[in-house]
Amino acid sequence: MSTIAYDYMEEFIRSLIKGNNEKLEALEKYARNNSVPIIHEEVGRFLELMIDIRKPLKILELGTAIGYSAILMASVSKGSFHIDTIERDPEMIKQAKENIESFGFKENIDILEGDCLEILEKLNEKYDLIFMDAGKGHYNHFLPHCLRLLNKEGIIVADNVLFRGMVASDKLIKRRKITIVKRMREFLNMVSEDDFITSVIPMGDGVAVIKRRFENE
Ligand code: SAM
């Protein structure tokens, strides 16, 4: 049972999503059948929409898993786009490499192997879109780096920001998850400052869309 949106609402919204890429659907099915944690269907559609509207040429993803969301983003990107995606799990990296190659995106998607924070510290590229989907308990630590790496008009899309509803309600918090919840709340407070335009959407496990606010322009 979802603690974020009503089940009947999620089911209805998902029933409206028509897949248009059979191979990608097969990869999605593989992930769901093998308990690989990938984005919810409606979050995938939302990412597609963001990419179609913003047309990012450089994308950074935190959390590759088997490459599903990176391949989805590549499939809907246009022009000379490039995606860097960070993953630390060797088995995930192996499968992601195979999937990326089989979808023909070897030249467009680079897996940066290692821990998100360590890699973020070393990166110096600029990105038009950053998709945060790894290390929920560290989004607050990742944020300063993501802001440094974000182009002026770039956007951050962060998944899992309501973390099974626990971030919004103390009643739902499991004791083992207190630190993650505290840090996620800190992250959401940081991006809710006046310097940002942030929208938190109760979709999937909670999605935040974040953009810097520029006054007098
Ligand atoms: N974005 C993927 C998709 O939708 O297809 C799913 C990513 S999954 C939710 C999160 C992934 O991030 C896992 O494969 C996990 O191994 C990886 N991960 C978690 N914490 C990480 C960290 N601190 N550094 C690098 N990878 C991490």
Side-chain angles (χ1 to χ4, degrees), residues 17 38 55 99 130 166 209:
I17 300 172
I38 60 164
K55 303 189 174 29
N99 290 327
I130 299 180
M166 289 186 258
V209 185

Side-chain angles (χ1 to χ4, degrees), residues 37-39 61 63-65 67-69 86-89 92 114-116 131 133-135 142:
I38 60 164
I39 44 172
E61 175 181 66
T64 318
Y68 174 75
S69 54
I86 308 174
E87 177 59 56
R88 67 178 175 193
D89 182 319
M92 292 287 179
D115 179 75
C116 284
F131 178 47
D133 193 22
F142 299 158

Side-chain angles (χ1 to χ4, degrees), residues 14-135:
R14 283 175 195 165
S15 77
L16 296 172
I17 300 172
K18 310 271 185 294
N20 41 22
N21 180 332
E22 273 177 31
K23 199 170 169 194
L24 198 57
E25 275 180 61
L27 184 61
E28 184 195 349
K29 202 178 248 178
Y30 169 86
R32 306 228 185 271
N33 290 342
N34 290 278
S35 307
V36 178
I38 60 164
I39 44 172
H40 290 76
E41 264 181 275
E42 60 276 24
V43 176
R45 182 47 53 98
F46 181 75
L47 268 183
E48 278 187 60
L49 178 63
M50 286 289 115
I51 288 172
D52 200 71
I53 293 172
R54 303 290 309 186
K55 303 189 174 29
L57 291 181
K58 291 270 294 172
I59 297 174
L60 175 65
E61 175 181 66
L62 278 54
T64 318
I66 60 169
Y68 174 75
S69 54
I71 292 169
L72 180 142
M73 291 192 282
S75 304
V76 293
S77 290
K78 308 248 164 27
S80 56
F81 71 95
H82 188 85
I83 300 175
D84 286 329
T85 176
I86 308 174
E87 177 59 56
R88 67 178 175 193
D89 182 319
E91 181 51 36
M92 292 287 179
I93 292 170
K94 183 172 166 286
Q95 289 193 47
K97 279 185 180 163
E98 288 167 8
N99 290 327
I100 289 166
E101 186 159 1
S102 112
F103 276 81
F105 290 125
K106 207 171 163 217
E107 304 303 318
N108 305 86
I109 303 177
D110 275 342
I111 302 177
L112 311 181
E113 301 181 25
D115 179 75
C116 284
L117 193 56
E118 286 173 20
I119 289 180
L120 284 171
E121 279 167 357
K122 289 185 203 138
L123 276 176
N124 274 312
E125 311 266 330
K126 287 281 184 190
Y127 297 93
D128 305 305
L129 187 149
I130 299 180
F131 178 47
M132 299 173 75
D133 193 22

